Structures are given as C-alpha cells and as structure tokens.
Amino acid sequence: METDFSSWQALMLSFILGWVVASSLFDLTKRIRSWVQPWVGRQVLAETPSILRIQKLQHPFLDKLFTVVSCVVSVPFYTGFLPILFWSGHGRLARQMTLLMAFCDYIGNCIKDLVSAPRPSSPPVRRLTVTDDEKQHAMEYGLPSSHALNTVCLTGYFLHYVVTSGGPIDAITIAVMFATVFLLVTLVAIGRIYLGMHSLIDVGAGITFGLLILAFWLSVHDYVDNFIISGQNVASFSTCLSFLLCFAYPTPEIPTPSFEFHAAFTGVAYGIIVGLQQTYHIYDPESPRIFTAQLPLLIFLGRVLVGIATILTVKFCSKAIAKWLLPVVCNTFGIPIVSSCYVPSLKASENAKNKPENIGYLQRVFSLFPQKVYDVDTGIRFIQYAGLAWSVVDLAPTVFRYFSL
C-alpha cells in the first residue's frame, strides 16, 4: 500500500530518530565539538600569516575577479539557475543537481555548526564582503568552506553527467572540461582565502568533504532518481525525512544563518520531490530540449519570463499563508513559538503572558511533552521555498501548456 514504508525507509528514519534521541540524552554535539573545535581553532590562528601573505597580492582586478567567482558559485546563483535548467528540457540533470545541492547544503552547514570553528580574525585579515549574501556568510562559522564544497560537488556531477549522458566525447574535450572544472575549483579555493572569508583548513575541508559527498552521490544517484519519479510513498517519506532533519541538525554555540539556509533548501528539495510525483509522467518524458524545433530560443525565453512570474507569485502567496496558518496551528496544539523576523508580534515573553488559563484538550495532551520555544520562522521559510520549488515542476509547466510555450 502507498502508506506502508519499505524496510530501507523505516531503517533510515529510525536511524535519524535514534541520532536525535542519543544526541539529546548524551549531549553528543557538545562532546564532538569539545574534541574538534580547539584543534581547528589553533589551525585557523596558525594560518593567519599565510592568509596575510596571499592578501599582499591585493589588487582591484583580483578583488573583482574573486568576488564575481564567489557569486557565480553561490547558493542564490544556483537557486536562480536550476529552474531555468528544468524549463530547458534537462529535467534529470536539474532534479539531480537540486537534490545534490540540498544534500551538500545540509551536510556542510551541519558540520559548520557542529564544530563551530571561527573564521580568520578580521583584523588583521582583510575581509571583503561586497554582496548581502557574502555578509550573511561572514556571520556563519568557518569549517568547511561551503563555496568550495558546493563547487566540487556540483561541477563534478555536471562533468559526470555530460560525459556519461551524451554521445561519444573525444579525450581532448574531456580533458578540457576536466581542466575547466579544476581551474574553477582552484579559483574558488584561492578566492575564499584572498577575500578573508576562510583559512586554508576551511577550504581544504570543503574540497575533501565535497569529493566524499560527490563519490557517495555518484553511487546512489540512479536509485534516488528512480525512487523520486516512480517509487512508493515518496511524499510521505519525504515529509517525515524533512521533519526529522530539522531536529537532527546540531545546535551551534551561537545562532548563525546556516540553519536558515538549510531550512530553505530542504524546502526546495521537498517541493521538487512532491511536484515531480504529480507531474513527471505528464510533462517530463515529453519535455522538449532547448534549441530544438519543439523548443526554439524565443519560446524558451517566453517560458523563463512566465515561469519566473509564476514562482515569485507562489513564493509570495505561500509565505503569506504560512505566516497566518502556522501560528494558528501551533497555538491550537499549545506549542510555544517565537518569531525572529517574519511575525514581529510573536515574542516569547508575550506568549507566556498571554497563555490562556482554560486550555483545550489538544493543548493538555501536548503540554505533557517537554516544553521548548520553537522559532516559527523555520516552518514559514520551509513552506515558502517548498511552494516555490513545487511551482517550478508542477504549476509552471501547466501554465506553459496553457500559453502554448
């Protein structure tokens, strides 16, 4: 039946739940941090002279170059690029890179907040943060470098996809593509140090974890893709998995934007999976590729314009609905909540002050469990980005058909 979980699904969810319980009971996050953080901190401090030597090469051209490179391999760039990849007819590549991006983002940010290692001290290191995205990244912990990790994984997977999914490619072309990927990874690695965002150990850890994640993903990506498009109880499993991953995430020493990024991209992955379950057999197998007679450039540009308007509308609406609905649901179940930015009226002190004396049955049941104040913004962000991703693979293709795009 659709609601029956297979053994591997039950095993995976049980493992994550077991980690959550064990981590809470034995304080595993703090124990692991106490072993790793001091060593990483000493390495970051010891590498300061090396970073300063690299920064002696300071030049306006290098400032521009490494800033642009960092933007090109950033999460916002991929977030804007992936919908276009879906609409251009490269559905398999798009969904694999989306899920891989979510996986990289989760693992990388988990390690960041687990270790809670500092970035290079500024001053003496010069830190160049031009964009708002870079300013947010500067508020995160250092190890590993997310830019290095994501670049290794995503460019590596893209290279693998091009080599294995197309027609025959000669050795020279493969060598040129491999050299291009290597050059990009090198520029990103040097750039993160030059910009003062990371130390050598951060970048080295990012490349190492990136290679490990890429190797793992290449061994399971076919199974993941087959499960998403034709598996059983995909939506229910993804719902349970997304919920548990929020609680499996380690608590950092000081709150950082890393958890927000995780919530957003986990929502993106969830929306893509749920949307594909509904529409893959309708749209994807017959989806034409760009630059073919079925999808010329002008039609594709029309798709992009209509698609972007569609997903931005859905993002706005899903956020508004979530901001209204989640506080109502949490209050119904007696779950204490606070909002850091989306719902300014929600404050922990006010929630405690305004708690009704005559609570309902559902609130009595939930009051038996340990009470903790939860940030409702996590749920709002998850729903917002899940709605956006769902619209990319479900609503937007329907709109394209309506407008004959």
Side-chain angles (χ1 to χ4, degrees):
M1 291 178 62
E2 180 68 15
T3 55
D4 292 336
F5 278 78
S6 65
S7 56
W8 72 266
Q9 293 171 332
L11 183 64
M12 178 180 289
L13 296 177
S14 299
F15 175 80
I16 297 173
L17 180 60
W19 165 259
V20 173
V21 174
S23 179
S24 177
L25 291 177
F26 302 108
D27 211 358
L28 296 181
T29 296
K30 287 186 178 178
R31 288 175 183 270
I32 296 173
R33 183 180 298 146
S34 66
W35 298 334
V36 181
Q37 187 193 62
W39 180 78
V40 176
R42 288 193 297 270
Q43 288 296 117
V44 172
L45 186 62
E47 290 172 1
T48 300
S50 300
I51 299 173
L52 293 174
R53 281 196 294 272
I54 292 174
Q55 291 192 332
K56 282 184 179 179
L57 301 173
Q58 180 180 343
H59 189 276
F61 171 76
L62 293 178
D63 290 354
K64 281 282 186 185
L65 172 65
F66 290 126
T67 299
V68 169
V69 168
S70 293
C71 290
V72 168
V73 298
S74 64
V75 171
F77 172 80
Y78 289 120
T79 305
F81 170 72
L82 290 172
I84 294 174
L85 200 58
F86 273 106
W87 301 332
S88 66
H90 296 278
R92 177 179 170 84
L93 175 61
R95 59 180 176 266
Q96 282 293 308
M97 290 193 70
T98 302
L99 297 179
L100 178 56
M101 182 73 196
F103 187 56
C104 290
D105 187 74
Y106 186 81
I107 297 297
N109 287 334
C110 274
I111 297 172
K112 277 181 188 287
D113 284 350
L114 174 65
V115 178
S116 294
R119 290 180 182 267
S121 296
S122 176
V125 171
R126 183 188 72 132
R127 183 168 296 157
L128 188 61
T129 54
V130 177
T131 64
D132 290 338
D133 182 57
E134 283 289 83
K135 290 173 183 176
Q136 277 197 308
H137 279 297
M139 297 167 61
E140 297 179 305
Y141 290 108
L143 184 140
S145 165
S146 297
H147 282 72
L149 190 157
N150 293 338
T151 303
V152 168
C153 277
L154 295 174
T155 57
Y157 185 81
F158 183 81
L159 178 61
H160 172 270
Y161 180 86
V162 171
V163 171
T164 59
S165 300
I169 303 177
D170 59 88
I172 295 178
T173 303
I174 294 176
V176 170
M177 290 191 295
F178 183 84
T180 303
V181 169
F182 181 81
L183 176 62
L184 180 60
V185 172
T186 302
L187 285 174
V188 169
I190 296 174
R192 302 313 286 167
I193 299 170
Y194 175 88
L195 296 173
M197 294 293 289
H198 286 286
S199 59
L200 280 73
I201 190 173
D202 299 339
V203 171
I207 293 173
T208 301
F209 283 118
L211 290 171
L212 292 174
I213 293 172
L214 177 61
F216 169 76
W217 193 259
L218 290 177
S219 67
V220 301
H221 69 117
D222 285 332
Y223 301 104
V224 172
D225 201 60
N226 291 334
F227 172 68
I228 289 171
I229 61 179
S230 59
Q232 295 295 311
N233 48 271
V234 177
S236 54
F237 172 73
S238 301
T239 302
C240 295
L241 180 63
S242 299
F243 180 78
L244 285 177
L245 287 178
C246 287
F247 292 93
Y249 192 91
T251 303
E253 279 190 336
I254 300 172
T256 72
S258 296
F259 185 74
E260 299 174 12
F261 295 145
H262 140 66
F265 239 93
T266 301
V268 168
Y270 179 76
I272 292 293
I273 291 170
V274 172
L276 284 171
Q277 270 287 292
Q278 303 297 319
T279 63
Y280 173 77
H281 295 288
I282 300 174
Y283 297 125
D284 204 87
E286 60 183 41
S287 180
R289 298 244 174 134
I290 189 173
F291 302 128
T292 61
Q294 294 78 21
L295 187 58
L297 181 59
L298 286 178
I299 297 295
F300 171 70
L301 293 177
R303 280 189 173 192
V304 172
L305 292 175
V306 172
I308 290 176
T310 301
I311 65 176
L312 289 179
T313 302
V314 170
K315 182 182 176 183
F316 173 80
C317 293
S318 59
K319 180 180 179 180
I321 293 171
K323 286 170 64 176
W324 168 78
L325 183 62
L326 284 183
V328 172
V329 172
C330 291
N331 288 333
T332 301
F333 287 99
I335 302 172
I337 55 173
V338 67
S339 173
S340 53
C341 63
Y342 287 146
V343 191
S345 60
L346 284 177
K347 296 180 181 178
S349 58
E350 290 181 2
N351 284 347
K353 220 184 292 180
N354 298 332
K355 200 169 183 179
E357 294 181 5
N358 299 321
I359 59 176
Y361 176 74
L362 287 174
Q363 291 173 317
R364 288 194 184 96
V365 170
F366 275 82
S367 66
L368 298 175
F369 295 92
Q371 292 295 294
K372 174 184 175 183
V373 177
Y374 296 95
D375 190 345
V376 74
D377 289 2
T378 300
I380 295 171
R381 190 173 289 109
F382 179 89
I383 293 174
Q384 175 187 7
Y385 282 90
L388 182 152
W390 163 80
S391 68
V392 169
V393 296
D394 192 337
L395 181 59
T398 304
V399 176
F400 296 158
R401 279 198 167 189
Y402 179 80
F403 288 105
S404 300
L405 292 174

